[in-house]
Amino acid sequence: MRRARQTRSILCLLVLVLSADKTSAQYQFDLWNTDNGLPQNSINAILQTKDGYLWLTTSDGLVRFDGLRFTVFNKGNTKGINSNRFNLLFEARDGSLWVGTDDGGATHYKDHRFTTYTTADGLLDNWVWAIRENAAGHILVVTRLGIVQMNEKNFVPWKPEDRSMDRRHEWRHRFGGLSFFDTEGLHLFDGQRFKTYTTRDGLASLNFTLLSEDQNGIMWIGIKEGHFYRFKDGRMTDYDVTVLGGPISPPHEDRNGAVWLASAGGLKHLQNGVWSSYDLKLPREGFTTIYEDREGNIWLASGDGLRRLRMQTIHVYTTRDGLPGKIVYPVYEDGEGSVWMGIWHEGLSRFKDGVFTNYKIKDGLSGQLVMSLCEDREGYLWIGTQDHGLNRFKDGQFTHYTMDDGLANANISSIYEDREGTLWVGTFSGLSRSQDGKFISYKPKDGLVEGTVQVIHEDRAGNLWLGTLGGLSCFRNGRFTNYTEQDGLSSNHVRSLYEDASGTLWIGTSDGGLNRLKDGKFTRYTTNEGLFNNGVFQILEDSHGYFWMSCNLGIYRVSRQELEDFAAGRLRSITATAYGKKDGMLDVECNGGRQPAGWKTRDGRLWFPTQDGVAVIDPEAIPVNQQPPPVVIENVKVAEREVPLEGTIEIRPGQENLEVRYTGLSFVNSEQLKFRYKLVGLDENWVEAGAQRVAYYRYLPPGRYMFTVLAANRDGIWNTVGASLRVAVYPPFWRTWWFLSVVGLSLVGLALLGSRRHVRKLQREQAAQVRFSRQLIQSQEYERKRIAGELHDGLGQNLLVIKNLALFGLARKNSQDAAQAQLGEISTTVSEAIEEVRTIARNLRPYELDRLGLTLAVESIMTRIAGSSTIKFASQIDPIDNIFSHEAEINLYRIVQEAVNNVVKHSEATAVSITIKRDGSQVVITIRDNGKGFAPDTERGAVATWSRGATQYESGSDLMRLRNLGFGLTGMIERVAMLNGKLSMQSSPGQGTTIRVELMAPDRSWEQQEDESE
């Protein structure tokens, strides 16, 4: 650098410092130390990385800060860290973080992993003094013994081509990065090479005391002679700081061009050639680092913790400024620009040209507790007091009005002059109106909703609105119209009224939030809709369309357009920005219930009464933070165990409880950040999380999801991109697609197999049924043929004989004996014919059933057959009459008949026993002979069983196996099946045959009831 390129600013600071104001009230200082989560109070370095985090180094760990929480990384809790003595921070172009230590080398943080490099990896020493990145993108690490360059994963010694760097003392000041000073001069590194500056280049001397590079790349150089130099882009600026006293800290130039530094005299601020001083209790070491984040906050690192310096948005006038007391209630600006305030039990105060003038009882005021203020068109100031009526003040003279003048009550809570010049006074017992120097009062008996009138307002239509403790009244044409909670008002405790430019009336309450009255319809806004608090003590609108409202927890701001959009259904919620102690308020509790509970002065500033002074806000001077906060997902737990934040988060079968912790990185009122999140694939709508920074999902169905979280800063500026995380929930094997596919295919296969088997079974049964039908038809034809043969051969022959005998007798003229002989033959033949007819009829329909009943009919079978054969019959038959239906009795009769006929025809038996036993509802028939027997189907063994229960037959092939056993047995099986019974047969050659039939007697009680009813 040459003098031709040098800009020197020798400042005469003695005059400036003497004229500088101790303006500590302009800034807010916040302090964090070990009580708030820091591992140690000594902060060595500060850096805000690209993702938005603020990183700090201490001698007992590396710290990450999100504005609310400190996260400490040390060798005890973090893999990849081997030292807790961290000293410096550097962010590379790729966004990774490099951290230097006093004894453990250089630590690299990237992709949520720490890696530490030491002398084992090529460093010349483990005490790291600086870390930088050269123009080629190589990381350079400065140690006590020299500089190394990182090539891939190893470090190699580095030296510039134009200078030898082999003297150990050259890098003794770590704040300078690669630049350094020695007895030969100042050696500044520009990214590729070193350039040396001496007294020939404008330096006052080479007695260097300070070399520091701030976050903006500005080099600051201090010398013993009381100068420090700013070097940037080849230009050097000289500052004379001899009057500041003591050593100075590394300076910092903020975004507005102001210079910050610390000296023995405190924190110094230079802007527009003027120094400001801030009284701070500085630690003995002073400040090691001054740093500015992206939102304009100034951070101070020192030996007693971390400080944040923010410009106050609220200025408070209190007792130290001249107020007679701390508690302020009404605030009012008169026509001359004076601001009047009522002070609790301390009278009246007037603020004009920065000076307070106070009035008390001794000055003519009727009472010390001022509750309301108003100026009329004639310039009189009206002052309402508690218990002492009304005062009129002008030119230093007070005039008093009491209940004797017609006031409804001596407690005056509100005063208002309408457009006609009529003065209205709200009291604790009603409303009073001035008339001819006196007052006319209206009370609840006159229609007023309630007596305590806290606020009065006349709308553009000339209607007078009154807010009371019992609701809202509108006085029009001498009549009151009242509105309460039953009419849609959110609360009956009305504290403030405001009419906007469109004529909409806004109603503030003490505990029910804000109300909008438009076209006779109320819209309410509470904390559920996004309001900061449900108290609205005063409503003031600034020039940008924001409502400023006061409550017990501070002052907050809401966009009127958002309120209108919510009322129209275009928004689901509103955004409120709150201001409190961190913004300059001495006490956040604001006062209301008295008129006016706040005022907008002609310069646009907003005045709010509080429990400690009057808070003044200049909306034009409050910047809106337009930077959406970065959003970061910090960690994820699955089944209470933390999982790496890499790729897709996988939840395996048996794992539940997904926990996602996230944060927003804004350092302006971090506690007022708002969040919303959504798990795409599960949540239909965004979950409004408020200030909560964790999301829980107890159970997730199998599937793939995308978790996204958004954040808004305290001014309602949303980060609409946010942070996202993919989540995959895997089903148990029995719910996987391949398993379900296999199961599905198996079921389809089984269904097809079962269907084919069922079809085959139906086909077999159908074929058997066809064969059975054919057999049945054939048997019917056989039966017809038999009956026809019997009729022809038996009955027909007998009738023919009878006919021939009759003709023969008529042709012969014999004697009487011959005729009698012929008649005898005819009688015998007729008897035989009758018997044959009976036999045929019995085979068609056993008439014994109708005449004798089932028990005797079965016995008649054996009697009849025993009389015509040599077989000996034995029977034991229980009474079984009237327990089966008529059709069932015929089938049972035929079963016994067929069984006995088969014995007679085929068994060659000499003895047969028939047993019919009835046991409750069960009837068991057993027919046993001692005949020759036979061999049943070998597939079934010695015992064959046919039954019909839930299915028609035991198998579709049963009838096919019976075709060779004769129609009689087939008929028995079919009849037993028709009776839902079970037939079993046991037979062996030479051992006889036993047939057993099991039947269940049906419940016929209903038939008996029908018979009785008939």
Side-chain angles (χ1 to χ4, degrees), residues 329-345:
Y329 264 88
V331 180
Y332 185 87
E333 183 186 30
D334 65 18
E336 296 179 352
S338 298
V339 178
W340 296 83
M341 287 161 273
I343 313 302
W344 191 257
H345 291 296

Side-chain angles (χ1 to χ4, degrees), residues 734-807:
W734 44 269
R735 294 184 63 181
T736 57
W737 67 268
W738 59 267
F739 183 83
L740 293 176
S741 299
V742 171
V743 171
L745 292 175
S746 300
L747 291 176
V748 171
L750 291 174
L752 292 174
L753 180 61
S755 175
R756 292 184 62 183
R757 289 186 175 180
H758 183 65
V759 170
R760 290 178 181 176
K761 177 182 178 182
L762 292 177
Q763 290 174 342
R764 289 194 298 268
E765 291 178 352
Q766 184 178 9
Q769 189 67 34
V770 170
R771 286 192 293 272
F772 176 77
S773 298
R774 289 176 180 172
Q775 259 188 331
L776 183 60
I777 293 172
Q778 291 175 357
S779 67
Q780 290 175 346
E781 293 297 326
Y782 171 77
E783 191 67 14
R784 292 190 184 97
K785 182 178 180 181
R786 182 182 66 78
I787 294 173
E790 290 181 355
L791 291 175
H792 179 272
D793 296 336
L795 181 60
Q797 290 296 327
N798 288 334
L799 292 176
L800 181 60
V801 170
I802 294 170
K803 174 184 176 182
N804 291 334
L805 288 175
L807 293 174

Side-chain angles (χ1 to χ4, degrees), residues 70-106:
F70 293 100
T71 302
V72 179
F73 303 93
N74 55 46
K75 65 180 182 181
N77 64 19
T78 305
K79 184 179 179 181
I81 292 179
N82 60 6
S83 173
N84 290 345
R85 299 183 61 82
F86 294 96
N87 54 33
L88 60 92
L89 294 160
F90 176 77
E91 185 177 25
R93 296 171 196 166
D94 62 2
S96 62
L97 179 67
W98 287 87
V99 191
T101 70
D102 288 344
D103 57 2

Side-chain angles (χ1 to χ4, degrees), residues 28-55:
Q28 179 74 29
F29 293 89
D30 302 309
L31 174 65
W32 289 269
N33 52 35
T34 52
D35 294 336
N36 308 107
L38 282 173
Q40 187 190 34
N41 285 335
S42 295
I43 309 297
N44 298 320
I46 306 174
L47 175 69
Q48 186 177 28
T49 48
K50 295 177 182 177
D51 57 13
Y53 279 113
L54 203 68
W55 291 84

Side-chain angles (χ1 to χ4, degrees), residues 887-905:
E887 292 78 6
E889 286 183 340
I890 293 173
N891 284 322
L892 193 152
Y893 179 87
R894 293 301 188 195
I895 291 170
V896 176
Q897 186 182 48
E898 292 292 346
V900 173
N901 286 338
N902 283 336
V903 171
V904 173
K905 292 179 182 179

Side-chain angles (χ1 to χ4, degrees), residues 23 25 39 41 50 119 122 150 179 221-222 249 271 448 570 624 697 720 778 793 848 885 894 900 934 958 1010:
T23 54
N41 285 335
K50 295 177 182 177
T119 53
M150 186 176 188
S179 300
I221 304 102
S249 68
Q271 187 165 20
L448 184 64
R570 293 187 291 270
V624 175
Y697 290 92
T720 57
Q778 291 175 357
D793 296 336
E848 292 92 340
S885 66
R894 293 301 188 195
V900 173
F934 67 94
D958 285 342
E1010 288 184 352

Side-chain angles (χ1 to χ4, degrees), residues 518-786:
K518 182 76 171 179
D519 299 327
K521 178 183 177 182
F522 285 99
T523 302
R524 62 178 62 186
Y525 308 85
T526 66
T527 53
N528 293 331
E529 288 73 43
L531 216 59
F532 169 69
N533 188 267
N534 284 334
V536 181
F537 301 166
Q538 179 61 302
I539 307 169
L540 302 177
E541 185 175 8
D542 66 18
S543 60
H544 301 288
Y546 284 96
F547 282 175
W548 293 79
M549 294 171 281
S550 56
C551 67
N552 284 325
L553 297 180
I555 301 167
Y556 57 101
R557 183 187 69 184
V558 177
S559 167
R560 178 164 60 88
Q561 187 59 52
E562 281 196 14
L563 296 171
E564 296 287 1
D565 289 342
F566 178 87
R570 293 187 291 270
L571 285 180
R572 296 178 58 190
S573 63
I574 58 177
T575 299
T577 303
Y579 298 84
K581 283 190 173 182
K582 291 185 176 180
D583 302 287
M585 295 184 71
L586 302 181
D587 192 317
V588 297
E589 184 177 347
C590 295
N591 293 320
R594 307 293 182 262
Q595 188 176 13
W599 195 264
K600 178 182 178 181
T601 53
R602 61 192 63 185
D603 60 5
R605 293 191 297 169
L606 311 176
W607 297 62
F608 290 96
T610 76
Q611 288 291 97
D612 192 353
V614 58
V616 182
I617 301 174
D618 183 1
E620 301 298 327
I622 298 179
V624 175
N625 184 4
Q626 297 292 346
Q627 294 190 32
V631 186
V632 179
I633 295 176
E634 292 191 321
N635 67 60
V636 176
K637 289 184 178 180
V638 175
E640 308 300 328
R641 299 187 63 180
E642 188 171 342
V643 296
L645 289 173
E646 298 177 356
T648 300
I649 301 300
E650 298 182 342
I651 302 178
R652 297 293 176 179
Q655 294 180 327
E656 294 183 352
N657 296 331
L658 174 66
E659 176 184 309
V660 182
R661 291 193 175 273
Y662 50 83
T663 190
L665 301 174
S666 173
F667 297 96
V668 178
N669 293 85
S670 304
E671 68 281 358
Q672 293 189 32
L673 265 63
K674 293 183 179 180
F675 299 89
R676 59 171 62 128
Y677 61 81
K678 184 177 184 181
L679 188 63
V680 179
L682 181 70
D683 297 327
E684 294 184 2
N685 300 311
W686 289 95
V687 178
E688 299 295 339
Q692 180 176 306
R693 303 190 180 208
V694 60
Y696 296 100
Y697 290 92
R698 297 299 181 190
Y699 169 76
L700 291 178
R704 292 190 173 272
Y705 305 91
M706 175 69 77
F707 177 84
T708 301
V709 56
L710 310 179
N713 62 25
R714 83 160 184 172
D715 290 316
I717 305 301
W718 283 92
N719 181 332
T720 57
V721 177
S724 297
L725 184 74
R726 295 186 181 276
V727 179
V729 181
Y730 294 98
F733 77 93
W734 44 269
R735 294 184 63 181
T736 57
W737 67 268
W738 59 267
F739 183 83
L740 293 176
S741 299
V742 171
V743 171
L745 292 175
S746 300
L747 291 176
V748 171
L750 291 174
L752 292 174
L753 180 61
S755 175
R756 292 184 62 183
R757 289 186 175 180
H758 183 65
V759 170
R760 290 178 181 176
K761 177 182 178 182
L762 292 177
Q763 290 174 342
R764 289 194 298 268
E765 291 178 352
Q766 184 178 9
Q769 189 67 34
V770 170
R771 286 192 293 272
F772 176 77
S773 298
R774 289 176 180 172
Q775 259 188 331
L776 183 60
I777 293 172
Q778 291 175 357
S779 67
Q780 290 175 346
E781 293 297 326
Y782 171 77
E783 191 67 14
R784 292 190 184 97
K785 182 178 180 181
R786 182 182 66 78

